[in-house]
Amino acid sequence: MNDPGEAEALRDGGSTVPRVVHVSELRRPDSRTARFEGRAHGSGISFFLVDADPGHGPGLHRHPYSETWVVLEGQATITIDGHDLVAEADDCAVVPAGLWHSFVNSGSGALRMICIHASDVMVQEGFPPP
């Protein structure tokens, strides 16, 4: 594409103009956590950008694909198949597909974490997503 005005990405037989997705567009009105489902944006992954207070987090659930967590700030206790792991800022953890898991903010301040789903749409059994 020689002309910057032609900066279009071909996808699914059509075209879309690349754009920045603002986190405010991904939050429900009653939550600080943002939900990004990749399919709607031409991405092969989905994620939650978690912003949770101490004691908060989803209950037990599972997915038919792996999920990777990256802790940006705070502390999370992650339960995977009955095993508790404590992750802090700059730590990562992975749960394989099909295992029951949950996490809770086990620190004294805010938990900021990215929960990356290896799927362009979120599929979940158990606790409803935040």
Side-chain angles (χ1 to χ4, degrees), residues 48-103:
F48 286 108
L49 181 55
V50 173
D51 183 357
D53 290 326
H56 290 261
L60 281 174
H61 62 280
R62 64 182 174 180
H63 314 281
Y65 47 77
S66 65
E67 183 175 359
T68 302
W69 296 285
V70 180
V71 179
L72 303 172
E73 177 183 334
Q75 177 180 290
T77 297
I78 300 168
T79 301
I80 301 172
D81 200 30
H83 301 279
D84 288 339
L85 308 170
V86 176
E88 297 181 339
D90 299 328
D91 289 340
C92 299
V94 177
V95 61
L99 293 184
W100 290 97
H101 60 277
S102 66
F103 68 85

Side-chain angles (χ1 to χ4, degrees), residues 8 13 21 38 50 63 86 108 111:
E8 294 186 16
V21 179
V50 173
H63 314 281
V86 176
S108 58
L111 171 64

Side-chain angles (χ1 to χ4, degrees), residues 6 14-15 27 33 35 45 55-56 66 74 76 83 87 113 117 127 130:
E6 295 178 22
S15 65
R27 284 194 187 108
T33 292
R35 178 182 173 142
I45 65 151
H56 290 261
S66 65
H83 301 279
M113 180 167 72
H117 293 235
F127 187 86

Side-chain angles (χ1 to χ4, degrees), residues 98-123:
L99 293 184
W100 290 97
H101 60 277
S102 66
F103 68 85
V104 65
N105 178 349
S106 54
S108 58
L111 171 64
R112 294 190 63 244
M113 180 167 72
I114 301 172
C115 305
I116 304 164
H117 293 235
S119 175
D120 65 348
V121 294
M122 293 186 188
V123 178

